[in-house]
Coordinates of all heavy atoms in Angstrom, one line a residue:
M1 N -126.9 35.5 134.6 CA -126.5 34.3 133.9 C -127.2 34.4 132.5 O -128.3 34.7 132.4 CB -127.0 33.1 134.6 CG -126.0 32.6 135.7 SD -124.4 32.0 134.9 CE -124.9 30.4 134.3
F2 N -126.4 33.9 131.5 CA -127.0 33.8 130.2 C -127.8 32.5 130.1 O -127.4 31.5 130.7 CB -125.9 33.7 129.1 CG -125.3 35.1 128.9 CD1 -124.0 35.3 129.3 CD2 -126.0 36.1 128.3 CE1 -123.3 36.5 129.1 CE2 -125.3 37.3 128.1 CZ -124.0 37.5 128.5
K3 N -128.8 32.6 129.4 CA -129.6 31.4 129.2 C -129.4 31.0 127.7 O -129.4 31.8 126.8 CB -131.1 31.7 129.4 CG -131.9 30.4 129.3 CD -133.3 30.6 130.0 CE -134.0 29.2 129.9 NZ -135.3 29.3 130.4
F4 N -129.1 29.7 127.5 CA -128.8 29.3 126.2 C -130.0 28.7 125.5 O -130.7 27.9 126.1 CB -127.7 28.2 126.2 CG -126.4 28.8 126.6 CD1 -125.9 28.7 127.9 CD2 -125.6 29.5 125.7 CE1 -124.7 29.3 128.3 CE2 -124.4 30.1 126.1 CZ -124.0 30.0 127.4
F5 N -130.2 29.2 124.3 CA -131.4 28.7 123.5 C -130.8 27.9 122.4 O -129.7 28.1 121.9 CB -132.2 29.8 123.0 CG -132.8 30.7 124.0 CD1 -132.2 31.8 124.5 CD2 -134.1 30.3 124.5 CE1 -132.8 32.6 125.5 CE2 -134.7 31.1 125.5 CZ -134.1 32.2 126.0
T6 N -131.6 26.9 122.0 CA -131.3 26.2 120.7 C -132.3 26.7 119.7 O -133.5 26.8 120.0 CB -131.3 24.7 120.9 OG1 -132.6 24.4 121.4 CG2 -130.2 24.2 121.8
F7 N -131.8 26.9 118.5 CA -132.7 27.3 117.4 C -132.7 26.2 116.3 O -131.7 25.6 116.0 CB -132.2 28.6 116.7 CG -132.2 29.8 117.6 CD1 -131.1 30.1 118.4 CD2 -133.4 30.5 117.8 CE1 -131.2 31.2 119.2 CE2 -133.4 31.6 118.6 CZ -132.3 32.0 119.3
N8 N -133.9 26.0 115.8 CA -134.0 25.1 114.6 C -133.4 25.9 113.5 O -133.5 27.1 113.3 CB -135.5 24.8 114.3 CG -136.1 23.9 115.4 OD1 -135.4 23.0 115.9 ND2 -137.3 24.2 115.7
K9 N -132.7 25.1 112.6 CA -132.1 25.7 111.4 C -133.3 26.1 110.5 O -134.1 25.3 110.1 CB -131.2 24.6 110.8 CG -130.2 25.3 109.9 CD -129.2 24.2 109.4 CE -128.2 24.8 108.5 NZ -127.4 23.8 107.8
V10 N -133.3 27.3 110.1 CA -134.3 27.8 109.2 C -133.7 28.4 108.0 O -132.6 28.8 108.0 CB -135.2 28.9 109.9 CG1 -136.0 28.3 111.0 CG2 -134.3 30.1 110.4
Q11 N -134.5 28.3 106.9 CA -134.1 28.9 105.6 C -134.1 30.4 105.8 O -135.0 31.0 106.4 CB -135.1 28.6 104.5 CG -135.1 27.1 104.2 CD -134.0 26.7 103.2 OE1 -133.4 27.5 102.7 NE2 -133.9 25.4 103.1
P12 N -133.0 31.1 105.4 CA -133.0 32.5 105.5 C -134.1 33.1 104.6 O -134.3 32.6 103.5 CB -131.6 33.0 105.0 CG -131.1 31.8 104.2 CD -131.8 30.6 104.8
A13 N -134.9 34.1 105.1 CA -135.9 34.6 104.3 C -135.4 35.5 103.2 O -134.4 36.2 103.4 CB -136.8 35.5 105.2
P14 N -136.0 35.5 102.0 CA -135.5 36.3 100.9 C -135.7 37.8 101.3 O -136.6 38.2 101.9 CB -136.3 35.9 99.7 CG -137.5 35.2 100.3 CD -137.1 34.7 101.6
I15 N -134.7 38.6 101.0 CA -134.8 40.0 101.3 C -135.4 40.7 100.1 O -134.9 40.6 99.0 CB -133.4 40.6 101.5 CG1 -132.7 39.9 102.7 CG2 -133.5 42.1 101.8 CD1 -131.3 40.1 102.9
P16 N -136.6 41.4 100.3 CA -137.3 42.0 99.2 C -136.3 43.0 98.5 O -135.7 43.8 99.1 CB -138.4 42.7 99.8 CG -138.6 42.1 101.1 CD -137.2 41.6 101.6
G17 N -136.4 43.0 97.2 CA -135.6 44.0 96.4 C -134.1 43.6 96.2 O -133.4 44.3 95.5
E18 N -133.7 42.5 96.9 CA -132.3 42.2 96.8 C -132.0 41.4 95.5 O -130.9 41.5 95.0 CB -131.9 41.4 98.0 CG -130.3 41.3 98.1 CD -129.9 40.3 99.1 OE1 -130.3 39.1 99.1 OE2 -129.1 40.7 100.0
S19 N -133.0 40.6 95.1 CA -132.7 39.7 94.0 C -132.5 40.6 92.7 O -133.3 41.5 92.4 CB -133.9 38.8 93.8 OG -133.7 38.0 92.6
K20 N -131.5 40.3 92.0 CA -131.2 41.0 90.8 C -131.9 40.5 89.6 O -132.1 41.1 88.6 CB -129.7 41.0 90.5 CG -128.9 41.8 91.5 CD -127.4 41.7 91.1 CE -126.5 42.3 92.2 NZ -125.6 41.4 92.8
E21 N -132.4 39.2 89.7 CA -133.1 38.6 88.6 C -134.5 38.2 89.1 O -134.7 37.2 89.7 CB -132.3 37.3 88.2 CG -131.0 37.7 87.6 CD -130.2 36.4 87.4 OE1 -130.7 35.4 86.9 OE2 -129.0 36.4 87.8
P22 N -135.4 39.1 88.8 CA -136.8 38.8 89.2 C -137.3 37.6 88.4 O -136.8 37.3 87.4 CB -137.6 40.1 88.8 CG -136.7 40.8 87.8 CD -135.3 40.4 88.1
G23 N -138.4 37.0 88.9 CA -139.0 35.9 88.3 C -138.6 34.6 89.0 O -138.0 34.7 90.0
P24 N -139.0 33.5 88.4 CA -138.8 32.2 89.1 C -137.3 31.9 89.2 O -136.5 32.3 88.4 CB -139.5 31.2 88.2 CG -139.6 31.9 86.9 CD -139.7 33.4 87.1
E25 N -137.0 31.1 90.2 CA -135.6 30.6 90.4 C -135.6 29.2 89.8 O -136.5 28.5 89.9 CB -135.3 30.6 91.9 CG -134.8 31.9 92.4 CD -134.1 31.6 93.7 OE1 -132.9 31.1 93.7 OE2 -134.6 31.9 94.8
Y26 N -134.4 28.9 89.3 CA -134.2 27.6 88.7 C -133.1 26.9 89.4 O -132.2 27.5 90.0 CB -133.9 27.7 87.2 CG -135.0 28.3 86.4 CD1 -135.1 29.7 86.2 CD2 -136.0 27.5 85.9 CE1 -136.1 30.2 85.5 CE2 -137.1 28.0 85.2 CZ -137.1 29.4 85.0 OH -138.2 29.9 84.3
S27 N -133.2 25.6 89.3 CA -132.2 24.7 90.0 C -131.8 23.6 89.0 O -132.6 23.1 88.3 CB -132.7 24.2 91.2 OG -131.8 23.3 91.8
Y28 N -130.5 23.3 89.0 CA -130.1 22.0 88.4 C -130.6 20.8 89.2 O -130.6 20.9 90.4 CB -128.6 21.9 88.3 CG -128.0 22.9 87.3 CD1 -127.0 23.8 87.6 CD2 -128.4 22.9 85.9 CE1 -126.5 24.6 86.7 CE2 -127.9 23.7 85.0 CZ -126.9 24.6 85.4 OH -126.3 25.5 84.5
C29 N -131.0 19.8 88.5 CA -131.5 18.6 89.3 C -131.2 17.4 88.5 O -130.8 17.4 87.3 CB -133.0 18.8 89.4 SG -133.9 19.2 87.9
E30 N -131.4 16.3 89.2 CA -131.1 15.0 88.6 C -132.3 14.0 88.7 O -133.0 14.1 89.7 CB -129.8 14.3 89.2 CG -128.6 15.0 88.8 CD -127.3 14.2 89.2 OE1 -127.4 13.6 90.3 OE2 -126.4 14.1 88.4
T31 N -132.4 13.1 87.8 CA -133.4 12.1 87.9 C -132.9 11.0 88.9 O -131.8 10.9 89.3 CB -133.6 11.4 86.6 OG1 -132.4 10.8 86.1 CG2 -134.0 12.4 85.5
A32 N -133.9 10.2 89.4 CA -133.6 9.2 90.4 C -132.6 8.2 89.8 O -131.9 7.5 90.6 CB -134.8 8.5 90.8
T33 N -132.5 8.1 88.5 CA -131.7 7.1 87.9 C -130.4 7.7 87.4 O -129.7 7.1 86.5 CB -132.4 6.4 86.7 OG1 -132.8 7.4 85.8 CG2 -133.6 5.6 87.1
A34 N -130.0 8.9 87.9 CA -128.9 9.6 87.4 C -127.6 8.8 87.6 O -127.4 8.2 88.6 CB -128.7 10.9 88.1
A35 N -126.7 8.8 86.6 CA -125.4 8.2 86.7 C -124.4 9.3 86.3 O -124.8 10.5 86.0 CB -125.3 7.0 85.8
A36 N -123.1 9.0 86.3 CA -122.1 10.0 86.1 C -122.3 10.6 84.7 O -121.9 11.8 84.5 CB -120.7 9.3 86.2
T37 N -122.8 9.9 83.8 CA -122.9 10.4 82.4 C -124.3 11.0 82.1 O -124.6 11.4 81.0 CB -122.7 9.3 81.4 OG1 -123.5 8.2 81.7 CG2 -121.2 8.8 81.5
T38 N -125.2 11.0 83.1 CA -126.6 11.5 82.9 C -126.5 13.0 82.9 O -125.9 13.6 83.8 CB -127.5 11.0 84.0 OG1 -127.3 9.6 84.2 CG2 -128.9 11.2 83.7
P39 N -127.2 13.6 81.9 CA -127.2 15.1 81.9 C -128.0 15.6 83.1 O -128.9 15.0 83.6 CB -127.8 15.5 80.6 CG -128.6 14.3 80.2 CD -127.9 13.1 80.8
W40 N -127.6 16.8 83.5 CA -128.4 17.5 84.5 C -129.6 18.1 83.9 O -129.5 18.5 82.7 CB -127.6 18.7 85.1 CG -126.4 18.3 86.0 CD1 -126.0 17.1 86.3 CD2 -125.5 19.2 86.6 NE1 -124.9 17.1 87.1 CE2 -124.6 18.4 87.3 CE3 -125.4 20.6 86.6 CZ2 -123.5 19.0 88.0 CZ3 -124.3 21.2 87.4 CH2 -123.4 20.4 88.0
H41 N -130.7 18.2 84.6 CA -131.9 18.9 84.1 C -132.0 20.2 84.9 O -131.3 20.4 85.9 CB -133.1 18.0 84.3 CG -133.0 16.7 83.5 ND1 -133.3 16.7 82.1 CD2 -132.5 15.5 83.8 CE1 -133.0 15.5 81.7 NE2 -132.6 14.7 82.6
I42 N -133.0 20.9 84.5 CA -133.2 22.2 85.1 C -134.7 22.3 85.5 O -135.5 21.9 84.7 CB -132.9 23.4 84.2 CG1 -131.4 23.4 83.8 CG2 -133.2 24.7 84.9 CD1 -131.1 24.3 82.6
R43 N -135.0 22.7 86.7 CA -136.4 22.8 87.1 C -136.6 24.1 87.7 O -135.7 24.8 88.2 CB -136.9 21.7 88.0 CG -136.4 21.8 89.4 CD -136.9 20.6 90.3 NE -136.5 20.8 91.7 CZ -137.3 21.3 92.6 NH1 -138.4 21.8 92.3 NH2 -136.8 21.5 93.9
E44 N -137.9 24.6 87.7 CA -138.3 25.8 88.3 C -138.5 25.5 89.8 O -139.2 24.6 90.2 CB -139.5 26.3 87.7 CG -139.9 27.8 88.1 CD -141.1 28.3 87.3 OE1 -141.2 28.0 86.1 OE2 -141.9 28.9 88.0
L45 N -137.9 26.3 90.7 CA -138.1 26.1 92.1 C -139.4 26.7 92.6 O -139.9 27.7 92.0 CB -137.0 26.8 92.9 CG -135.6 26.1 92.8 CD1 -134.6 26.9 93.5 CD2 -135.6 24.7 93.3
T46 N -140.0 26.1 93.5 CA -141.2 26.7 94.2 C -140.7 27.4 95.5 O -139.5 27.4 95.7 CB -142.2 25.6 94.6 OG1 -141.6 24.8 95.6 CG2 -142.6 24.7 93.4
E47 N -141.6 27.9 96.3 CA -141.2 28.5 97.5 C -140.6 27.5 98.5 O -139.9 27.9 99.4 CB -142.5 29.1 98.2 CG -142.9 30.4 97.5 CD -144.2 31.0 98.2 OE1 -144.6 30.5 99.2 OE2 -144.7 32.0 97.6
A48 N -140.8 26.3 98.2 CA -140.2 25.3 99.1 C -138.6 25.2 98.9 O -137.9 24.7 99.7 CB -140.8 23.9 98.8
G49 N -138.2 25.8 97.8 CA -136.7 25.9 97.6 C -136.1 24.6 97.1 O -136.9 23.7 96.6
K50 N -134.8 24.5 97.2 CA -134.1 23.3 96.7 C -134.4 22.1 97.6 O -134.6 22.1 98.8 CB -132.6 23.6 96.7 CG -132.2 24.5 95.6 CD -130.7 24.5 95.5 CE -130.2 25.5 94.5 NZ -129.5 24.9 93.4
K51 N -134.4 20.9 96.9 CA -134.6 19.6 97.6 C -133.4 18.8 97.3 O -133.3 17.9 96.5 CB -135.9 18.9 97.0 CG -137.1 19.7 97.1 CD -137.7 19.6 98.4 CE -139.1 20.2 98.5 NZ -139.7 20.1 99.8
L52 N -132.4 19.1 98.1 CA -131.1 18.5 97.9 C -131.1 17.0 98.2 O -130.4 16.2 97.7 CB -130.0 19.2 98.7 CG -129.7 20.6 98.3 CD1 -128.7 21.3 99.3 CD2 -129.3 20.8 96.9
G53 N -132.0 16.6 99.1 CA -132.1 15.2 99.5 C -133.1 14.4 98.8 O -133.4 13.3 99.2
G54 N -133.7 15.0 97.8 CA -134.8 14.3 97.0 C -136.1 14.9 97.3 O -136.3 15.8 98.2
G55 N -137.1 14.5 96.5 CA -138.5 15.0 96.7 C -138.7 16.3 96.0 O -139.5 17.1 96.4
A56 N -138.1 16.5 94.8 CA -138.3 17.6 94.0 C -139.8 17.8 93.7 O -140.4 16.8 93.4 CB -137.5 17.5 92.7
D57 N -140.3 19.0 93.8 CA -141.8 19.2 93.7 C -142.2 19.7 92.4 O -143.4 20.1 92.2 CB -142.3 20.0 94.9 CG -141.4 21.3 95.1 OD1 -140.5 21.5 94.4 OD2 -141.8 22.1 96.0
T58 N -141.3 19.8 91.4 CA -141.7 20.2 90.1 C -140.9 19.3 89.1 O -139.8 18.9 89.4 CB -141.4 21.7 89.8 OG1 -140.1 22.0 90.1 CG2 -142.3 22.6 90.5
P59 N -141.5 19.1 87.9 CA -140.7 18.3 86.9 C -139.6 19.2 86.3 O -139.7 20.4 86.4 CB -141.8 17.9 85.9 CG -142.8 18.9 86.0 CD -142.8 19.4 87.5
A60 N -138.7 18.6 85.6 CA -137.7 19.3 84.8 C -138.4 20.1 83.7 O -139.6 19.8 83.3 CB -136.7 18.4 84.3
L61 N -137.8 21.1 83.2 CA -138.4 21.9 82.1 C -138.7 21.0 80.9 O -139.6 21.3 80.1 CB -137.4 23.1 81.7 CG -137.1 24.1 82.8 CD1 -136.2 25.1 82.3 CD2 -138.4 24.7 83.3
C62 N -137.9 20.0 80.7 CA -138.1 19.1 79.5 C -139.2 18.1 79.8 O -139.6 17.3 79.0 CB -136.8 18.4 79.2 SG -136.3 17.2 80.5
G63 N -139.8 18.1 81.0 CA -140.9 17.2 81.3 C -140.5 16.0 82.1 O -141.4 15.3 82.5
R64 N -139.2 15.7 82.3 CA -138.8 14.5 83.0 C -139.1 14.7 84.5 O -139.0 15.8 85.0 CB -137.3 14.2 82.8 CG -137.1 13.5 81.5 CD -135.6 13.2 81.4 NE -135.3 12.6 80.1 CZ -135.1 13.2 78.9 NH1 -135.3 14.5 78.9 NH2 -134.8 12.6 77.8
K65 N -139.4 13.6 85.1 CA -139.5 13.6 86.6 C -138.2 13.6 87.2 O -137.3 12.7 86.8 CB -140.3 12.4 87.0 CG -140.6 12.4 88.5 CD -141.6 11.2 88.8 CE -141.8 11.0 90.3 NZ -141.3 12.0 91.2
V66 N -137.9 14.5 88.0 CA -136.6 14.6 88.7 C -136.7 14.4 90.2 O -137.8 14.6 90.7 CB -135.9 15.9 88.4 CG1 -135.4 16.0 86.9 CG2 -136.7 17.1 88.7
S67 N -135.6 14.0 90.8 CA -135.7 13.6 92.2 C -135.1 14.6 93.1 O -135.6 14.9 94.2 CB -134.9 12.3 92.3 OG -135.8 11.3 92.9
W68 N -133.9 15.1 92.8 CA -133.2 16.0 93.8 C -132.5 17.1 93.0 O -132.2 17.0 91.9 CB -132.3 15.2 94.7 CG -131.2 14.5 93.9 CD1 -130.0 15.0 93.4 CD2 -131.2 13.1 93.6 NE1 -129.3 14.1 92.8 CE2 -130.0 12.9 92.9 CE3 -132.0 12.1 93.9 CZ2 -129.6 11.6 92.4 CZ3 -131.7 10.8 93.4 CH2 -130.5 10.6 92.7
D69 N -132.2 18.2 93.8 CA -131.5 19.3 93.2 C -130.0 19.2 93.5 O -129.6 18.6 94.5 CB -132.1 20.6 93.9 CG -133.5 20.9 93.5 OD1 -133.8 20.8 92.3 OD2 -134.3 21.1 94.3
L70 N -129.3 19.9 92.7 CA -127.9 20.0 92.9 C -127.6 21.4 93.5 O -128.2 22.4 93.1 CB -127.1 19.9 91.5 CG -127.4 18.5 90.9 CD1 -127.0 18.6 89.4 CD2 -126.6 17.5 91.6
N71 N -126.6 21.4 94.4 CA -126.3 22.7 95.1 C -125.4 23.6 94.2 O -124.3 24.0 94.6 CB -125.7 22.4 96.4 CG -125.8 23.5 97.4 OD1 -126.5 24.5 97.1 ND2 -125.1 23.4 98.5
T72 N -125.8 23.8 93.0 CA -125.1 24.6 92.0 C -126.0 25.7 91.5 O -127.2 25.4 91.2 CB -124.6 23.7 90.9 OG1 -123.8 22.7 91.4 CG2 -123.8 24.5 89.9
V73 N -125.5 26.9 91.4 CA -126.3 28.0 90.9 C -126.5 27.9 89.4 O -125.5 27.7 88.7 CB -125.7 29.4 91.3 CG1 -126.5 30.5 90.8 CG2 -125.6 29.5 92.8
V74 N -127.7 28.0 88.9 CA -127.9 28.0 87.5 C -127.4 29.4 86.9 O -128.1 30.4 87.1 CB -129.4 27.8 87.1 CG1 -129.6 27.9 85.6 CG2 -129.8 26.4 87.6
R75 N -126.3 29.4 86.3 CA -125.7 30.6 85.9 C -125.2 30.4 84.5 O -125.5 31.1 83.5 CB -124.6 31.1 86.8 CG -124.1 32.5 86.6 CD -123.0 32.8 87.5 NE -123.5 33.0 88.9 CZ -122.8 32.6 90.0 NH1 -121.7 32.0 89.9 NH2 -123.3 32.8 91.2
D76 N -124.3 29.5 84.3 CA -123.6 29.2 83.1 C -124.4 28.1 82.4 O -124.3 26.9 82.8 CB -122.2 28.8 83.3 CG -121.4 28.7 82.0 OD1 -122.1 28.7 80.9 OD2 -120.2 28.5 82.0
L77 N -125.1 28.4 81.3 CA -125.9 27.4 80.7 C -125.1 26.7 79.6 O -125.6 25.9 78.8 CB -127.1 28.0 80.1 CG -128.2 28.4 81.1 CD1 -129.2 29.2 80.4 CD2 -128.8 27.2 81.8
N78 N -123.8 26.9 79.5 CA -123.0 26.3 78.5 C -122.4 25.0 78.9 O -121.6 24.4 78.2 CB -121.9 27.2 78.0 CG -122.5 28.4 77.3 OD1 -123.5 28.3 76.5 ND2 -122.0 29.6 77.6
Y79 N -122.8 24.5 80.1 CA -122.2 23.2 80.5 C -122.6 22.1 79.5 O -123.8 22.1 79.0 CB -122.8 22.8 81.8 CG -122.3 23.6 83.0 CD1 -123.2 24.1 83.9 CD2 -120.9 23.8 83.2 CE1 -122.7 24.8 85.1 CE2 -120.5 24.5 84.3 CZ -121.4 25.0 85.2 OH -120.9 25.7 86.3
E80 N -121.7 21.3 79.1 CA -121.9 20.2 78.2 C -123.0 19.3 78.7 O -123.7 18.6 78.0 CB -120.6 19.5 77.9 CG -119.6 20.2 77.1 CD -119.9 20.1 75.6 OE1 -120.3 19.0 75.2 OE2 -119.9 21.2 75.0
F81 N -123.0 19.1 80.0 CA -123.7 18.0 80.6 C -125.1 18.5 81.1 O -125.8 17.8 81.8 CB -123.0 17.4 81.8 CG -122.3 18.4 82.7 CD1 -123.0 19.0 83.7 CD2 -121.0 18.8 82.5 CE1 -122.4 19.9 84.6 CE2 -120.4 19.7 83.3 CZ -121.1 20.3 84.3
V82 N -125.6 19.7 80.6 CA -127.0 20.0 80.9 C -127.9 19.6 79.8 O -127.5 19.7 78.6 CB -127.1 21.6 81.1 CG1 -128.5 22.0 81.2 CG2 -126.2 22.1 82.3
C83 N -129.0 19.0 80.2 CA -130.0 18.5 79.2 C -130.3 19.6 78.2 O -130.6 20.7 78.5 CB -131.2 18.1 80.0 SG -132.7 17.9 79.0
K84 N -130.2 19.3 76.9 CA -130.3 20.3 75.9 C -131.7 20.8 75.8 O -131.9 22.0 75.6 CB -130.0 19.7 74.5 CG -128.5 19.5 74.4 CD -128.1 19.0 72.9 CE -126.6 19.0 72.7 NZ -125.9 18.2 73.8
E85 N -132.7 20.0 76.1 CA -134.1 20.4 76.1 C -134.4 21.4 77.2 O -135.0 22.4 77.0 CB -135.0 19.2 76.1 CG -136.5 19.5 76.0 CD -136.8 20.1 74.6 OE1 -136.1 19.8 73.6 OE2 -137.8 20.8 74.5
C86 N -133.9 21.1 78.4 CA -134.0 22.0 79.5 C -133.4 23.3 79.3 O -133.9 24.4 79.5 CB -133.4 21.4 80.8 SG -134.4 20.1 81.6
R87 N -132.2 23.3 78.7 CA -131.4 24.5 78.5 C -132.2 25.4 77.4 O -132.3 26.6 77.6 CB -130.1 24.1 77.9 CG -129.2 25.4 77.7 CD -127.8 25.0 77.5 NE -127.6 24.1 76.3 CZ -126.4 23.6 76.0 NH1 -125.3 23.8 76.8 NH2 -126.3 22.9 74.9
K88 N -132.7 24.7 76.4 CA -133.4 25.5 75.4 C -134.7 26.1 76.0 O -134.9 27.3 75.7 CB -133.8 24.5 74.3 CG -134.5 25.1 73.1 CD -134.8 24.1 72.0 CE -135.7 24.6 70.9 NZ -137.0 25.1 71.4
R89 N -135.4 25.4 76.8 CA -136.6 25.9 77.4 C -136.3 27.1 78.3 O -137.1 28.0 78.4 CB -137.4 24.8 78.0 CG -137.9 23.8 77.0 CD -139.0 22.9 77.6 NE -139.3 22.0 76.5 CZ -140.5 21.3 76.4 NH1 -141.4 21.5 77.3 NH2 -140.7 20.5 75.5
L90 N -135.3 26.9 79.1 CA -134.9 28.0 80.0 C -134.5 29.3 79.2 O -135.0 30.4 79.5 CB -133.8 27.6 80.9 CG -133.3 28.7 81.9 CD1 -134.4 29.2 82.8 CD2 -132.2 28.1 82.8
L91 N -133.7 29.1 78.2 CA -133.3 30.2 77.4 C -134.5 30.9 76.7 O -134.6 32.1 76.6 CB -132.3 29.8 76.3 CG -130.9 29.4 76.9 CD1 -130.0 28.8 75.8 CD2 -130.3 30.6 77.5
D92 N -135.4 30.1 76.2 CA -136.7 30.6 75.6 C -137.5 31.4 76.6 O -138.1 32.4 76.3 CB -137.5 29.4 75.1 CG -136.9 28.9 73.8 OD1 -136.0 29.5 73.2 OD2 -137.4 27.8 73.3
S93 N -137.5 30.9 77.9 CA -138.4 31.5 78.9 C -137.8 32.8 79.4 O -138.5 33.6 80.0 CB -138.6 30.6 80.0 OG -137.4 30.5 80.9
I94 N -136.5 33.1 79.2 CA -135.9 34.3 79.7 C -135.6 35.3 78.6 O -135.0 36.4 78.9 CB -134.7 34.1 80.6 CG1 -133.6 33.3 79.8 CG2 -135.0 33.3 81.8 CD1 -132.3 33.0 80.6
K95 N -136.1 35.0 77.4 CA -135.8 36.0 76.3 C -136.7 37.2 76.5 O -137.8 37.1 77.0 CB -136.2 35.3 75.0 CG -134.9 34.8 74.3 CD -135.3 34.0 73.1 CE -134.1 33.1 72.6 NZ -134.5 32.1 71.7
Ligands
LIG101 ZN1 -134.1 18.0 80.9

């Protein structure tokens, strides 16, 4: 007889050498007061990863306190709705 186990959902471990872009990971995020017209901010992720439900553990690059991450990969920085200061700082940091 098979025995059924239940597993807790775990974050997949990063595979060494797989990342094409070494260095810190960034995430789009929003402030607690975000509305439809509020720009997205960008923050550096820690090992804790994305906080989609709130509790972001680093401030945005522009210094604003942010609350939660967006499940969108930071790739195209030409979005109109990304905070200009965050975008500038990210571009400066990857030059
Ligand atoms: Zn910002």
Side-chain angles (χ1 to χ4, degrees):
M1 275 294 283
F2 287 109
K3 187 163 183 183
F4 293 98
F5 295 95
T6 53
F7 294 96
N8 289 323
K9 205 174 175 187
V10 292
Q11 294 278 350
I15 300 166
E18 195 191 54
S19 175
K20 290 181 189 122
E21 295 168 45
E25 274 199 75
Y26 295 93
S27 174
Y28 288 125
C29 48
E30 286 192 322
T31 60
T33 55
T37 55
T38 313
W40 290 359
H41 297 278
I42 300 167
R43 74 179 184 95
E44 193 178 315
L45 290 177
T46 66
E47 286 181 3
K50 287 190 183 242
K51 302 280 188 180
L52 299 175
D57 48 358
T58 52
L61 298 179
C62 67
R64 279 184 183 80
K65 185 174 171 12
V66 289
S67 235
W68 58 80
D69 292 311
L70 298 165
N71 201 8
T72 303
V73 177
V74 176
R75 189 181 289 143
D76 185 354
L77 289 170
N78 293 318
Y79 288 133
E80 288 279 317
F81 43 87
V82 173
C83 166
K84 288 186 170 53
E85 185 65 26
C86 282
R87 182 167 63 184
K88 181 178 174 299
R89 292 192 185 207
L90 178 57
L91 289 172
D92 285 350
S93 77
I94 59 180
K95 262 175 199 165

